[in-house]
Amino acid sequence: MSSDSITVSIRREVDPERIVEATAWVQTGVNLATKYPGFLGSGWVRAGEDSQVWHMLYRFADAASLATWHESDERAWWVASALGIVEHSPE
């Protein structure tokens, strides 16, 4: 594993009545990120079966690759598309 790779950990709260939509939203984000050079993978887990708290890890090969994803119009659209489904904390 390269020492330059970067893993990002985020926490989101999901409306329990919108789990199906949130799951589709998560997969959309993964599908978008996969197209970016340097994307090494991701994973989502819930804190528990009845929990509103979801955790995600995603990894990029280096800071430049991560910055390209974070600054992309696709990511901005994706984050905004979760309004009402997922509560975003400042990153």
Side-chain angles (χ1 to χ4, degrees):
M1 169 173 34
S2 169
S3 62
D4 294 337
S5 61
I6 298 176
T7 301
V8 176
S9 173
I10 61 173
R11 177 187 184 276
R12 298 288 189 251
E13 292 192 29
V14 175
D15 180 337
E17 295 182 14
R18 301 184 81 179
I19 296 295
V20 172
E21 291 167 279
T23 302
W25 176 77
V26 166
Q27 190 57 53
T28 298
V30 171
N31 292 346
L32 291 171
T34 298
K35 299 185 320 182
Y36 282 77
F39 179 73
L40 300 176
S42 66
W44 286 87
V45 294
R46 292 166 58 186
E49 188 175 346
D50 295 327
S51 177
Q52 292 177 261
V53 177
W54 294 29
H55 299 276
M56 178 189 191
L57 295 175
Y58 58 94
R59 189 172 192 80
F60 277 83
D62 53 49
S65 298
L66 176 63
T68 298
W69 163 243
H70 271 220
E71 296 166 7
S72 71
D73 290 340
E74 285 183 309
R75 182 179 178 278
W77 168 84
W78 174 67
V79 169
S81 73
L83 185 62
I85 300 170
V86 176
E87 181 181 315
H88 295 279
S89 304
E91 294 179 42

